[in-house]
Amino acid sequence: MIGKIVENVKRKSLKKKLIILVAILLIVIIIFMIVKYWTFSNYKVEASDAKENTLLYNYYSIDGNILKCASDTAVLSDSRDETIWSITYEMNEPEVEVCGENFIIYEKNGTTVIVCDTKGQKSTFNTQLPIVKADIAEQGTIAVLEDDGSTAQIDYYDTDGSLISTIKTTLTVDGYPMDIALADDGMLLGVSFIKYDNGNAITDIVFYNFGAAGQMQKDNIVSRYEYTNTIIPELDFMGRSNCVAFGTDKVIAYADSKAPKEANIIELNDELKSVVSGDDCFATVMIGNENQGYEITVYDRNGKEKAVIETDFAYTSVEIKNGLIIMYNRNSMKIYSTDGICKFDGQLDFFIRQIRTIDSNRYAVAATDGYNIIRLY
């Protein structure tokens, strides 16, 4: 008798737990669906500075904050436009590369690199040769493509500016390095080289591994791919093991944290308008059928198609951030999720220069008449 009572109690307890579990699961699904399909119809200005001369700055998203970068100063401000820190320097042509909370400000065609994070400046160092391009990893290591007109090399630096490794290149053997990209953990480096053979352009995509997998390989090279009659001027890493190469007639996705391999090759046509990449996906923007509007195709890290979005929005700039495709022109903004759902479509009361993402519904708008932070609702 007592055994049956205990058994009934256990059954009721199990049933109650299952009911609670199902209820929690339903709530999670409902929240997920609300977030996924939630759309915004308007905006409000949360902060504004009409005195800010936005022509002096380029703006960058840094982990929910905004970096304002000019030729002589950099200011990191928060989502209320309050200054977190600022630094001064002198650069003719400053460029910025960001990975998580870490970023670098470097002088293109100069030799100065400033290493920062959201807490402030971490170090400053000078390169051996003028800088063509630089990239930074999440833990702060930096790769720099340098060229003085006769010699091109890629230097790999620690956060404090100490030189870890140098990759020497020769025009006759390697070709000319067009772009570099560093994996988030700093272990993999991708380089796009171009050379010519009997008038034919040949691009070599070369991957170097600075970890254990590359130590036993000559010059740390773990994989190499050659593409004839193709120019590939842009590389971008997404995470630790996925890299995408944007070419004139194809996009190649690579995967593998030790020796990247071709995961997918996407052939393009002459109707390509833009290519853009984010943290976990990338997209091509093609001119639509009969030259009407655009077709945005979103791919995951491995080059697998996720969504196709038809739009007639006449954009001047596009980026992917936080799972959203943000498009804007002189006075309008349109946002899609990477699943193809239109989240916002409206005009802004500004003449827009740049829009940068703060979070899923807040944006920094650099306008011709000042700086604004808006919140969509």
Side-chain angles (χ1 to χ4, degrees), residues 234 236 246 274-278 281-285 318-320 325:
E234 185 177 350
D236 192 18
F246 295 110
S274 304
V275 290
V276 61
S277 60
C281 64
F282 63 92
T284 59
V285 184
V318 57
E319 72 169 10
I320 298 178
I325 302 169

Side-chain angles (χ1 to χ4, degrees), residues 111-113 124-128 157 161:
T111 59
T112 303
V113 179
T124 299
F125 65 91
N126 290 100
T127 59
Q128 302 176 52
Y157 296 92

Side-chain angles (χ1 to χ4, degrees), residues 149-327:
S150 59
T151 302
Q153 66 187 44
I154 300 156
D155 284 337
Y156 187 54
Y157 296 92
D158 206 345
T159 305
D160 61 1
S162 57
L163 186 62
I164 299 173
S165 178
T166 295
I167 299 169
K168 298 286 187 181
T169 69
T170 59
L171 189 62
T172 54
V173 177
D174 304 296
Y176 182 78
M178 292 184 289
D179 197 18
I180 60 173
L182 197 58
D184 283 6
D185 64 355
M187 290 295 100
L188 285 173
L189 172 70
V191 184
S192 175
F193 292 94
I194 188 168
K195 55 189 175 184
Y196 290 89
D197 183 19
N198 295 323
N200 297 317
I202 299 172
T203 298
D204 279 347
I205 303 298
V206 182
F207 290 99
Y208 301 83
N209 190 315
F210 296 109
Q215 296 302 312
M216 301 301 293
Q217 305 298 323
K218 182 181 179 181
D219 299 325
N220 292 87
I221 296 174
V222 288
S223 55
R224 181 195 297 266
Y225 298 91
E226 182 178 283
Y227 305 95
T228 304
N229 295 322
T230 296
I231 299 175
I232 303 175
E234 185 177 350
L235 297 177
D236 192 18
F237 260 98
M238 294 172 286
R240 299 172 54 188
S241 58
N242 292 88
C243 184
V244 59
F246 295 110
T248 51
D249 61 348
K250 59 175 61 70
V251 176
I252 308 109
Y254 304 91
D256 196 305
S257 61
K258 294 181 179 179
K261 303 172 181 62
E262 290 178 339
N264 196 19
I265 299 178
I266 302 157
E267 299 293 341
L268 304 176
N269 58 39
D270 294 335
E271 304 302 315
L272 180 67
K273 169 75 172 175
S274 304
V275 290
V276 61
S277 60
D279 294 332
D280 58 3
C281 64
F282 63 92
T284 59
V285 184
M286 313 291 287
I287 297 173
N289 293 330
E290 299 180 358
N291 293 322
Q292 298 295 313
Y294 303 102
E295 182 179 277
I296 305 169
T297 306
V298 184
Y299 301 89
D300 68 12
R301 292 184 178 193
N302 293 314
K304 183 180 178 181
E305 186 177 302
K306 283 184 60 177
V308 177
I309 305 166
E310 302 285 346
T311 183
D312 58 0
F313 186 72
Y315 72 97
T316 55
S317 185
V318 57
E319 72 169 10
I320 298 178
K321 193 76 175 176
N322 298 339
L324 298 172
I325 302 169
I326 301 102
M327 311 174 79

Side-chain angles (χ1 to χ4, degrees), residues 67 72-76 84-91 101-105 112-126 136 159-160:
L67 177 72
D72 59 355
T73 185
V75 180
L76 188 70
I84 299 172
W85 56 256
S86 64
I87 58 173
T88 58
Y89 49 80
E90 289 295 333
M91 292 187 186
E101 294 185 357
N102 287 290
F103 60 96
I104 49 173
I105 304 168
T112 303
V113 179
I114 303 173
V115 186
C116 306
D117 63 14
T118 52
K119 296 181 180 67
Q121 182 176 337
K122 297 169 73 173
S123 66
T124 299
F125 65 91
N126 290 100
I136 185 169
T159 305
D160 61 1

Side-chain angles (χ1 to χ4, degrees), residues 24 29 68 74 88 104 130 152 202 242 306 335 344 351 358 365:
I24 293 172
I29 291 172
K68 307 172 184 182
T88 58
I104 49 173
I202 299 172
N242 292 88
K306 283 184 60 177
I335 302 173
F344 179 79
F351 289 111
I358 295 174
V365 181

